[in-house]
Amino acid sequence: MPINSLHFSPWIDVLQAEVQALKTLVLSSPSSPVGELPSAGSGGVKTPFRKGHSRNKSTSSAILGTQPDPSATEPIVRECREVDSQLFSEFKAWKEEPTLSRSCCFLERVYREDIYPCLTFSKSELGSAILEAVEQNTLSVEPVGFQPLPVVKAAAVECGGPKKCALSGQTKTCKHRIKFGDSSSYYYVSPFCRYKITAVCNFFTYIRYIQQGLVKQQDVEQMFWEVMQLRREMSFAKLGYFRDQL
């Protein structure tokens, strides 16, 4: 045997053994050459490393157009109120000497902003008659078919009908009818027109109570807010919102 072969044989065996061990290690390790990396701040706890790019969740939501949770972004809305100094001063001046005259600042505003628009109908003459009757407290509103109606003379005039509103001229189911004082003439009105009329009637009823000294358990500001609530009802009615009696 040559001397060189005898001299290097142990080293060749060692190298071959190491190469074989490396092959075995590579074949038994995961596919990722990096293996596992420790997570930051985890105290040495390792988390598996995954190949490829991991997209940020918030970025993914934005790209995909995912809508945010409405409960997290929708503001909480509450109904608030604040005394209007001009309206309040006009009401206080009226309260000192309550009158039903249209010429006072308080009522002139209410007529212009609420009452006139609320009692504007296609049949304008009938609308004017209704306003006059409301002011004189001689208007009657009666349900149709829910209570016995007084017997009227044969010459009595019934305007409109159960299916036609006398104020709008439209075909509507009329559940109420109105009359003026002791008149034997009746006018059928639709639920919407009736609501407009009663909204105005409720306002006049309350300010009459104040004028007559019947409102005693409320201070001036409480009376003011009650008036504002009644004005609100008239505003809704003139815009077409109403509550129907089923």
Side-chain angles (χ1 to χ4, degrees), residues 161-177:
K163 297 294 182 180
K164 185 175 182 180
C165 178
L167 288 169
S168 66
Q170 297 178 341
T171 301
K172 299 286 183 180
T173 299
C174 300
K175 303 176 182 180
H176 292 80
R177 65 181 189 176

Side-chain angles (χ1 to χ4, degrees), residues 81 83 87-96 106 206 210 215-228:
R81 68 183 191 182
V83 173
L87 298 180
F88 190 51
S89 63
E90 291 176 358
F91 175 74
K92 284 199 302 182
W94 175 84
K95 173 67 173 56
E96 294 298 322
F106 165 64
Y206 186 69
I210 296 177
V215 183
K216 298 178 180 180
Q217 296 181 349
Q218 293 179 324
D219 58 26
V220 177
E221 186 170 334
Q222 289 174 321
M223 293 181 189
F224 171 78
W225 281 118
E226 184 65 28
V227 168
M228 292 303 104

Side-chain angles (χ1 to χ4, degrees), residues 71-87:
S71 62
T73 60
E74 206 171 285
I76 299 175
V77 179
R78 62 175 182 173
E79 185 173 293
C80 304
R81 68 183 191 182
E82 181 176 342
V83 173
D84 184 286
S85 58
Q86 180 65 33
L87 298 180

